[in-house]
Amino acid sequence: MAQLSRRQVLLATGAAAVVSLAGCGDDTPDKKDLDRNRAGAMEKYGVGDQFKATAPVTFSILYNNHPNYPLKPEWLFWTELAGRTNVKLDPVAVPLSDYEQKRSVLVGSGDAPLIIPKTYHPQENSYVSSGAILPVSDYLDLMPHFKDKIERWNLQPEMDTLRQEDGKFYLLPGLHEKPWQDYTLAVRTDVLEQLKIPSPTTWDEVYAMLKAMKAAHPDVIPFSDRFGKPNPAGNLLNMLALAHGLPGAGWNYQPTSWDAAAGKYVFTGASDGYRQVVEYLHKLVAEGLLDPETFTQTDDQARQKLASGKSFVISTNAQTLVNDYRPDIAKINPNARLGKILFPVGPSGPVNAASRLENGVMISSKAREGKNFVAMMQFVDWLWYSDAGQEFAKWGVEGTTYTKDASGKRTLAPDVNVIGLNPKGSKHLQKDFGFYNGVFAYGGKLDLVQSFFSPEELEFQKEMNARKPAPWVTPPPAPLSDEEREQTTLWATALKDHVTQNTLKFALGQRPLSEWDAYVSELKGKSAQAYIDLVNKAYERYRKNHG
């Protein structure tokens, strides 16, 4: 559920670009005329209040149907939600594999449901110019919990990265109290013990560890990674980019990066930091430490190599470690042990490069004209942003799916299982009840986000949260105009393809690193400089108009 990403910038340069939550674009004449749209709305609704419509209402919602827990009309989630809020949700179910394409078709045709979750910024950008989605920043007064969390958690700089040229934002993102860095490397800790080397804490130490593993096991390529499709070495590239002060790469490809020292945006794939990433990958492959098939193999192939002892290191998050790798290994080598290492530190220092924003909700413009519009915004605010709504979406119903002790600690009911916490449980929190559903459950207070974490994972997160937030994670706003966005879209695919293809060639030794400058020139020939010039122009314009 979580998404790897960026957000916080060295505000010595970007502070002038920060616009307060209640800043320009958030108070329009449109707000004054909501008298005809208040049917079902609560007259008094504030922080801590349970939302309940004054009469039964139904809202359509685009539903991302996950194959691990396919939608069931009889889920307790639906009936309990209706009981608490007087709201019935009418889901338009779309398979996970087709979600983005189907969403685009529905929004473009004007047939989208009123509530459109599971949207990752900047996916909303393509719907702004058509007027198909609502500028939700105009209606924050209807959402007290959303406003409260942004103000209490100082999320305004992150929110400003979502603003368009008009100063408004069109996406209600999931909000985290603290950054959540989930992905890192899993390492065979029993092998580390045999070699008498400590768990690596930096990418240089990862290299030294792999060298030691290779020396002791010449027939093994110690690091064979998963997440190789559709972006070659997707997670590995992203982690290395974050460690080198870049906002993302691989499966979190980001075409532009904020250069705080220069006070401008640069093209990520042509930057010095990205060159260092490519050089590191090349070194690992050239010395037989990283499996060349990392860039193309399936996840199952990578898992099989780890389980059979053909590799010792792989990308992981908390769930894949517990649900995939450890059971895989236990079937073949019961004495092997695998653990997450702390996210390795790179040239950018010991920082937490995770974002505090997650995927979020778009609202169809059609909703604004409905008689229940105010009630709907109050409902969205309660379910996705109130403490009570977030706990409900994640844990379910106290006394049925979980219990809570006097200290507030939650425990799954004895017969309910999820992510292996109650292996003997005959019922599944997601599959049988509809809770902990990626459409509804994300973000929240640290306690809630970590409430399903094992002691091992809690220790990992404690160490990660002790690190400072990465200063480049929140770049200053640089929203493009419709014309500029159309122009950059024409360039974007060819540029991304060239970066991806040549990253692979450099890493595998199919293109010598001495040709880096030629590669940068090729990017300029594909309009990389023109792309960056437009972004910097947008940054200067926004700073001037909204600073």
Side-chain angles (χ1 to χ4, degrees):
M1 282 183 244
Q3 165 95 341
L4 286 163
S5 195
R6 58 252 166 239
R7 288 277 180 290
Q8 164 90 21
V9 116
L10 205 58
L11 295 181
T13 316
V18 173
V19 182
S20 73
L21 185 66
C24 43
D26 293 354
D27 191 12
T28 68
D30 185 43
K31 285 178 62 176
K32 300 175 183 177
D33 183 24
L34 288 170
D35 292 344
R36 294 174 295 175
N37 310 100
R38 295 185 178 276
M42 292 176 63
E43 184 175 345
K44 293 184 178 180
Y45 170 67
V47 175
D49 289 341
Q50 165 68 52
F51 168 77
K52 187 162 189 176
T54 57
V57 291
T58 299
F59 302 128
S60 58
I61 183 170
L62 191 62
Y63 184 86
N64 189 344
N65 202 2
H66 201 293
N68 288 356
Y69 42 94
L71 184 149
K72 295 179 182 178
E74 65 270 21
W75 274 343
L76 178 62
F77 174 84
W78 306 117
T79 52
E80 185 70 20
L81 183 69
R84 294 188 186 198
T85 66
N86 226 358
V87 172
K88 178 186 176 184
L89 287 177
D90 180 16
V92 177
V94 177
L96 171 67
S97 57
D98 297 328
Y99 189 74
E100 292 182 21
Q101 181 181 3
K102 184 67 172 178
R103 179 185 61 203
S104 182
V105 170
L106 288 170
V107 174
S109 65
D111 295 326
L114 299 181
I115 304 172
I116 311 169
K118 295 301 287 184
T119 300
Y120 290 86
H121 178 72
Q123 292 173 345
E124 80 277 15
N125 289 359
S126 59
Y127 308 122
V128 170
S129 60
S130 68
I133 59 172
L134 206 65
V136 286
S137 55
D138 283 351
Y139 302 99
L140 299 189
D141 286 347
L142 304 179
M143 305 186 69
H145 294 101
F146 182 85
K147 284 183 68 174
D148 177 64
K149 281 182 165 53
I150 289 174
E151 290 164 3
R152 280 195 297 114
W153 296 346
N154 298 314
L155 282 162
Q156 292 183 17
E158 284 95 329
M159 291 302 302
D160 287 333
T161 65
L162 307 183
R163 293 186 185 271
Q164 302 293 325
E165 190 188 18
D166 59 7
K168 303 178 183 184
F169 55 83
Y170 292 70
L171 178 71
L172 295 166
L175 306 175
H176 282 266
E177 181 183 13
K178 299 286 186 181
W180 176 22
Q181 177 61 48
D182 193 13
Y183 286 83
T184 184
L185 297 178
V187 175
R188 280 278 299 275
T189 53
D190 58 311
V191 176
L192 292 183
E193 289 176 12
Q194 291 165 9
L195 298 176
K196 293 182 171 56
I197 55 177
S199 181
T201 60
T202 69
W203 285 104
D204 287 342
E205 290 177 3
V206 168
Y207 168 72
M209 173 192 71
L210 296 173
K211 289 276 284 186
M213 288 175 166
K214 184 70 174 177
H217 302 274
D219 56 334
V220 169
I221 301 178
F223 189 2
S224 186
D225 212 10
R226 67 183 297 180
F227 307 129
K229 293 181 176 181
N231 301 106
N235 182 54
L236 176 57
L237 258 175
N238 187 63
M239 290 195 298
L240 285 166
L242 295 176
H244 284 77
L246 302 173
W251 65 3
N252 186 32
Y253 170 80
Q254 300 296 320
T256 64
S257 301
W258 175 249
D259 185 332
K264 64 180 182 180
Y265 281 88
V266 298
F267 194 78
T268 303
S271 65
D272 287 342
Y274 198 76
R275 176 180 53 79
Q276 294 171 30
V277 168
V278 169
E279 289 172 348
Y280 184 86
L281 286 173
H282 173 85
K283 179 170 68 171
L284 295 189
V285 173
E287 297 184 21
L289 308 179
L290 177 64
D291 185 357
E293 294 181 359
T294 281
F295 298 90
T296 54
Q297 67 189 354
T298 65
D299 286 1
D300 285 345
Q301 288 171 319
R303 287 173 60 180
Q304 181 59 34
K305 289 176 182 178
L306 181 74
S308 62
K310 293 180 179 178
S311 68
F312 301 141
V313 181
I314 194 169
S315 282
T316 192
N317 61 23
Q319 290 198 38
T320 55
L321 178 70
V322 174
N323 294 345
D324 295 351
Y325 305 148
R326 283 176 176 165
D328 289 348
I329 290 176
K331 295 173 186 174
I332 299 174
N333 185 356
N335 296 320
R337 297 192 307 281
L338 195 74
K340 282 175 76 172
I341 66 171
L342 283 178
F343 188 91
V345 174
S348 59
V351 294
N352 190 334
S355 172
R356 292 197 294 161
L357 301 187
E358 207 172 339
N359 72 86
V361 180
M362 297 189 298
I363 303 295
S364 169
S365 294
K366 294 185 299 184
R368 174 63 182 82
E369 303 308 314
K371 65 179 182 179
N372 301 122
F373 173 66
V374 173
M376 192 188 82
M377 296 302 286
Q378 291 176 341
F379 167 76
V380 169
D381 177 71
W382 180 82
L383 179 58
W384 275 277
Y385 301 104
S386 75
D387 292 347
Q390 290 175 333
E391 182 179 63
F392 165 74
K394 188 162 189 171
W395 278 88
V397 180
E398 187 173 359
T400 302
T401 58
Y402 76 101
T403 58
K404 187 189 291 189
D405 65 18
S407 70
K409 179 178 170 58
R410 310 169 191 87
T411 304
L412 285 170
D415 61 341
V416 178
N417 184 32
V418 72
I419 57 175
L421 293 176
N422 266 350
K424 295 181 181 179
S426 59
K427 301 172 185 174
H428 196 276
L429 187 65
Q430 294 168 313
K431 297 175 184 178
D432 297 316
F433 295 100
F435 298 106
Y436 200 23
N437 184 325
V439 175
F440 305 107
Y442 42 84
K445 294 191 296 187
L446 186 66
D447 162 69
L448 181 68
V449 170
Q450 297 188 349
S451 55
F452 283 148
F453 288 179
S454 65
E456 175 186 24
E457 181 63 18
L458 285 171
E459 185 59 33
F460 174 88
Q461 293 298 332
K462 180 181 176 182
E463 295 286 343
M464 289 304 302
N465 280 319
R467 297 180 179 183
K468 295 179 181 179
W472 57 89
V473 174
T474 308
L480 302 175
S481 67
D482 293 342
E483 183 180 347
E484 290 166 340
R485 189 180 300 115
E486 186 176 337
Q487 181 61 69
T488 54
T489 300
L490 293 174
W491 297 329
T493 300
L495 285 167
K496 181 181 180 181
D497 288 347
H498 198 68
V499 170
T500 301
Q501 292 163 9
N502 282 276
T503 299
L504 187 58
K505 289 178 180 178
F506 284 129
L508 295 177
Q510 297 170 354
R511 185 172 188 180
L513 292 170
S514 59
E515 293 188 12
W516 178 264
D517 290 344
Y519 152 74
V520 172
S521 295
E522 291 157 11
L523 287 173
K524 290 180 180 177
K526 296 180 181 295
S527 301
Q529 189 59 52
Y531 189 114
I532 284 297
D533 288 345
L534 273 185
V535 172
N536 281 314
K537 176 184 174 184
Y539 160 65
E540 292 292 347
R541 180 178 62 231
Y542 192 92
R543 184 172 67 163
K544 179 181 178 181
N545 293 339
H546 302 282

mmCIF file of all heavy atoms in Angstrom, residues 249 348 457:
data_model
loop_
_atom_site.group_PDB
_atom_site.id
_atom_site.type_symbol
_atom_site.label_atom_id
_atom_site.label_comp_id
_atom_site.label_asym_id
_atom_site.label_seq_id
_atom_site.Cartn_x
_atom_site.Cartn_y
_atom_site.Cartn_z
ATOM 1 N N ALA A 249 13.865 6.773 -9.151
ATOM 2 C CA ALA A 249 14.263 6.189 -10.424
ATOM 3 C C ALA A 249 13.647 4.803 -10.494
ATOM 4 O O ALA A 249 12.951 4.363 -9.566
ATOM 5 C CB ALA A 249 15.793 6.124 -10.543
ATOM 6 N N SER A 348 24.108 10.934 0.161
ATOM 7 C CA SER A 348 23.197 11.954 0.698
ATOM 8 C C SER A 348 23.058 11.879 2.208
ATOM 9 O O SER A 348 22.368 12.703 2.805
ATOM 10 C CB SER A 348 21.822 11.823 0.042
ATOM 11 O OG SER A 348 21.273 10.549 0.279
ATOM 12 N N GLU A 457 9.843 -5.516 12.721
ATOM 13 C CA GLU A 457 9.575 -4.380 11.830
ATOM 14 C C GLU A 457 9.469 -3.080 12.618
ATOM 15 O O GLU A 457 9.889 -2.014 12.140
ATOM 16 C CB GLU A 457 8.293 -4.634 11.038
ATOM 17 C CG GLU A 457 7.929 -3.530 10.053
ATOM 18 C CD GLU A 457 8.944 -3.319 8.947
ATOM 19 O OE1 GLU A 457 9.780 -4.214 8.712
ATOM 20 O OE2 GLU A 457 8.910 -2.252 8.311
#
